[in-house]
Amino acid sequence: MNFTSPISLALGAIIALSLLGVPVGHAMIGGSVLYLYLKGMDMGSAAEQLLNGTYSSFLLLAIPLFILAATIMSSGSILDRLLRFCNAIVGRFPGGLAQVNVLQSIVFASMSGSALADAAGSGKLMQAMMTRDGKYTREFAAALTAVSAVIGPILPPSIPLVLYALVSGTSVGYLFIAGVLPGLLMGAVQMALIYAMSRRRRFPVEPAVPLRELPRITLDALPALMLPVILLGCLYSGVTTPTEAAGLAAAYALLISVVLYRSLGWGDIYHSLITSARTSISIGMLIAGALVFNYVITSENIPATLSAFLQGYDLSPVAFLLLINLILLLLGAFLEGSTIILVVLPVLLPTAVALGIDPVHFGVVAVLNIMIGLVTPPYGLLLFMMTKIAEVSLLALVREVLPFLAVMIGALVVVTLWPDLVLFLPRLAGYSG
């Protein structure tokens, strides 16, 4: 590789700017403009790609709307009601609060398409609950909070899957429903491991909620639990587009918070709007940078070159997916997931399609890898976040994460080798892949 070529210098500029603390989206725009200058191309092409990509995609509006719905649902008393529901369901089993931690991540998947947001929000509350009175060690609670947070972005509505739909042209609805069984499998293996560990470590069991109380607790949480049902129902009935469904989710979240639960005031609504706007802007700049940089990648004909290179090794679809698993797990430990989806996956997708791999299956496998990468030592972003939240050492946290990492990778292998697990529900909904 010629290290003085325009593409090499552009990549070097992006890495250097990122290391200096410049946001990745801005760094990609800067590196792309440098490439256009060195190639003698019109530098206005960067603005053209940015504007065309962001303003021509109606799907992009779904992201800030899903974020707004998640922010509203995480405010007020909804969080407490859902945690009481989770505790009533699984708190009585060995490792009760630990089981609740996993179940709440599955339940809160309908409110947060981001693993980092899940760990910082409801996960932070679970960390405090688990370590109260010394029921669990801080290291174990932090590790479980980190690994359970990766479940949320696999289940619908998922921001990573929306981003994948943007770069692949795949149906968001089919991607959402395709993530259901893999997401539940990820939760199931975590809960099974907790059950096995509770025997050896003598984890405490929470006081059983009387069965006569269960209908009341469920009814109390039912309006919040209905959000994913309404969302998916509108999508697969054809009543709404994905973006309209996201708007409906935000409106529904606001309605039950203000009118039904009466737990949200004007100040809370203002705070939710500001928080959602900040998060949306950060993701939006990342998308803008990726759109410009993808133009550079296409100009260099990198996807076609890589596709020809990999096909030259005569890889089978299974061998290719296993290789991609390894690559994405490593990248996920170093890079933010959205960056990988927007920059790396468009390069790999043509090869996957050429090998006959279904794009919906490939997208779900890729997102699973990226989410697991967030808790992969030594640089997983969730690991660093939880060391700060829980005030534990990275080494102690990694020691507790490793058993969970093993079973999650086992689940990933199952999803990789068994495409029907991913495609079963989409096919029931009419998918022809």
Side-chain angles (χ1 to χ4, degrees):
M1 181 177 180
N2 182 3
F3 290 100
T4 60
S5 64
I7 186 65
S8 298
L9 293 173
L11 287 171
I14 292 171
I15 294 170
L17 289 171
S18 299
L19 291 175
L20 289 171
V22 176
V24 176
H26 294 78
M28 284 193 288
I29 293 174
S32 301
V33 170
L34 176 63
Y35 171 86
L36 295 172
Y37 171 75
L38 294 174
K39 291 283 286 186
M41 300 170 67
D42 181 9
M43 288 188 287
S45 299
E48 181 184 357
Q49 294 299 315
L50 190 155
L51 292 173
N52 286 341
T54 52
Y55 285 102
S56 64
S57 178
F58 187 59
L59 178 61
L60 280 178
L61 278 175
I63 295 175
L65 290 170
F66 278 135
I67 292 171
L68 178 59
T71 307
I72 293 172
M73 293 286 277
S74 299
S75 305
S77 64
I78 293 179
L79 193 62
D80 294 332
R81 295 169 195 266
L82 290 175
L83 284 177
R84 283 199 297 270
F85 170 77
C86 294
N87 185 58
I89 298 297
V90 297
R92 67 188 71 215
F93 298 118
L97 268 182
Q99 302 282 12
V100 170
N101 197 334
V102 179
L103 183 59
Q104 66 86 20
S105 289
I106 295 173
V107 171
F108 278 94
S110 64
M111 291 164 239
S112 173
S114 166
L116 299 176
D118 189 18
S122 60
K124 188 175 182 179
L125 178 60
M126 284 304 308
Q127 171 76 19
M129 291 173 62
M130 289 181 67
T131 54
R132 189 180 302 152
D133 301 325
K135 290 181 178 180
Y136 298 86
T137 64
R138 287 188 301 165
E139 293 81 5
F140 176 79
L144 181 59
T145 298
V147 298
S148 66
V150 308
I151 299 172
I154 301 168
L155 294 165
S158 164
I159 291 175
L161 287 177
V162 171
L163 293 177
Y164 175 76
L166 176 69
V167 299
S168 67
T170 313
S171 163
V172 174
Y174 290 139
L175 284 169
F176 276 3
I177 200 170
V180 171
L181 292 181
L184 294 178
L185 174 63
M186 196 69 72
V189 298
Q190 290 184 13
M191 295 178 84
L193 178 61
I194 292 167
Y195 184 85
M197 294 173 73
S198 66
R199 299 290 185 178
R200 188 177 72 255
R201 297 197 187 186
R202 300 184 184 278
F203 288 153
V205 176
E206 296 303 298
V209 175
L211 289 178
R212 65 178 181 274
E213 293 289 319
L214 194 55
R216 181 185 61 80
I217 294 172
T218 303
L219 187 63
D220 201 31
L222 187 61
L225 293 171
M226 285 299 294
L227 176 60
V229 178
I230 294 171
L231 177 69
L232 294 177
C234 290
L235 274 175
Y236 301 119
S237 65
V239 174
T240 66
T241 65
T243 302
E244 291 165 347
L248 181 63
Y252 179 77
L254 184 62
L255 180 68
I256 64 172
S257 297
V258 174
V259 178
L260 186 61
Y261 291 144
R262 298 182 180 179
S263 60
L264 217 61
W266 287 111
D268 299 313
I269 295 173
Y270 175 76
H271 177 72
S272 296
L273 289 170
I274 293 297
T275 303
S276 303
R278 287 173 177 165
T279 306
S280 300
I281 288 169
S282 64
I283 295 176
M285 284 307 303
L286 188 59
I287 293 171
L291 288 170
V292 178
F293 186 63
N294 284 340
Y295 175 72
V296 171
I297 290 175
T298 305
S299 299
E300 285 288 307
N301 206 28
I302 291 175
T305 304
L306 180 63
S307 179
F309 175 77
L310 290 174
Q311 290 181 44
Y313 282 94
D314 198 25
L315 293 173
S316 67
V318 172
F320 175 79
L321 281 174
L322 292 175
L323 176 62
I324 295 305
N325 281 350
L326 181 61
I327 293 171
L328 293 180
L329 280 174
L330 291 173
L331 289 176
F334 293 92
L335 297 176
E336 201 273 331
S338 300
T339 306
I340 300 173
I341 294 169
L342 293 167
V343 177
V344 178
L345 293 191
V347 177
L348 300 174
L349 186 59
T351 305
V353 173
L355 290 173
I357 298 169
D358 186 88
V360 170
H361 179 225
F362 180 75
V364 172
V365 169
V367 169
L368 275 172
N369 274 286
I370 292 166
M371 293 303 105
I372 295 173
L374 292 173
V375 291
T376 301
Y379 298 111
L381 293 178
L382 274 173
L383 298 181
F384 285 108
M385 174 182 283
M386 290 313 301
T387 57
K388 294 178 181 178
I389 290 176
E391 297 181 348
V392 296
S393 71
L394 181 62
L395 182 61
L397 181 61
V398 167
R399 192 181 300 118
E400 295 285 7
V401 161
L402 289 178
F404 288 98
L405 195 57
V407 297
M408 289 163 67
I409 291 176
L412 171 64
V413 172
V414 171
V415 173
T416 302
L417 300 180
W418 190 14
D420 287 344
L421 180 68
V422 177
L423 300 176
F424 173 70
L425 291 180
R427 285 169 178 163
L428 286 181
Y431 182 59
S432 58

